[in-house]
Amino acid sequence: MKKVFIIALAFVLIIFGFIFSKSKQAAWEDASLVATEALTEKNTGTRVYSFSGSDEIVTVMNGTVVIEEDEETFSGGILKINSEEFFENAVSCSTSFYVLDNGEEKNVMTNRIIDKTGGNVVLDGDDLGKMSGPDAVTGYDNDSAEKLMKNLFFEIKIVNADGEEKSHQLQLEVVEVN
C-alpha cells in the first residue's frame, strides 16, 4: 500500500510539474510577446537616413541621421579630398552641415580645425563629427525631416597661410534607410 501511495504521489507531482512548467512557459511567451510588441511599437517611430555627395573638390560619405522619439543623432561621415590644390597651405578649416529653408541656412552642425603650430591642416579621411540630443537635428521645425531629405548641404571653408579664404558648398543626397 505504501508503494502504491508513493507511486500515486510521484505521478501527481509529475502532473503538477508538467502543468506548472506549461503555465510558466506560456507566461514567458506572453511576456516575450508584450516586450517584442513594445519594442516594435517604439522602433516604428525611428527614422534612419544616410547621406553622401561628391564633386571635383570633396567627397562626403557614410553620413547618417537617426531620428528617434527622444533622441536624434547626426554623424557627418568621412571627408575625402578630391582637389589637393583647393586645400594647399590650409592652416584653418571649418566644416558645416546645414539645411536650406526658404533661402535661409539652418545650421545642423559645425566643426573647426586650426593649426597653431605653423603647419598645414590635413583633412583627407577625417571624421566630420557627431552630435546627439533631443531635437538635435529637427529642433528648428516640425517639417525639418522632409527638408533634410531635399536640402542638406555641406560647406567647407579654409584659410591658407597667406590669409586667403576659400569656401565650397556641396548639396548632399539623402536617402531614408528604413
Side-chain angles (χ1 to χ4, degrees):
M1 183 83 161
K2 192 174 182 184
K3 191 174 188 183
V4 173
F5 177 74
I6 292 175
I7 292 173
L9 182 61
F11 182 71
V12 169
L13 288 176
I14 290 171
I15 299 268
F16 279 124
F18 180 74
I19 291 171
F20 179 73
S21 70
K22 284 296 183 184
S23 67
K24 190 174 183 182
Q25 181 180 357
W28 277 106
E29 287 173 359
D30 289 345
S32 177
L33 182 61
V34 168
T36 302
E37 287 174 356
L39 285 173
T40 303
E41 184 177 307
K42 181 170 176 62
N43 287 337
T44 57
T46 299
R47 292 176 287 172
V48 179
Y49 302 92
S50 172
F51 61 86
S52 62
S54 186
D55 63 14
E56 67 282 353
I57 305 292
V58 295
T59 297
V60 173
M61 55 189 155
N62 301 331
T64 59
V65 177
V66 179
I67 300 173
E68 297 176 285
E69 186 176 321
D70 299 330
E71 183 85 1
E72 297 178 356
T73 303
F74 185 93
S75 178
I78 304 296
L79 178 67
K80 182 178 180 303
I81 304 302
N82 298 334
S83 170
E84 294 294 330
E85 184 179 311
F86 182 83
F87 295 94
E88 200 169 64
N89 298 321
V91 295
S92 170
C93 175
S94 68
T95 60
S96 297
F97 292 92
Y98 63 91
V99 174
L100 197 57
D101 183 13
N102 296 320
E104 182 181 346
E105 292 180 13
K106 305 276 183 152
N107 188 48
V108 176
M109 182 175 73
T110 299
N111 288 307
R112 187 166 187 181
I113 302 168
I114 301 172
D115 188 311
K116 295 189 177 197
T117 66
N120 293 333
V121 175
V122 179
L123 302 165
D124 199 28
D126 275 8
D127 182 342
L128 290 168
K130 183 178 181 178
M131 67 171 200
S132 63
D135 301 323
V137 180
T138 63
Y140 63 87
D141 114 16
N142 292 334
D143 298 326
S144 58
E146 289 301 316
K147 291 175 186 171
L148 175 79
M149 292 284 291
K150 298 174 185 167
N151 299 304
L152 182 62
F153 287 82
F154 172 75
E155 180 177 43
I156 189 162
K157 294 180 182 179
I158 64 141
V159 177
N160 66 22
D162 298 330
E164 179 187 359
E165 294 183 22
K166 296 180 190 178
S167 73
H168 181 71
Q169 291 85 26
L170 173 65
Q171 185 166 9
L172 301 169
E173 181 181 344
V174 181
V175 293
E176 189 165 5
V177 176
N178 59 346

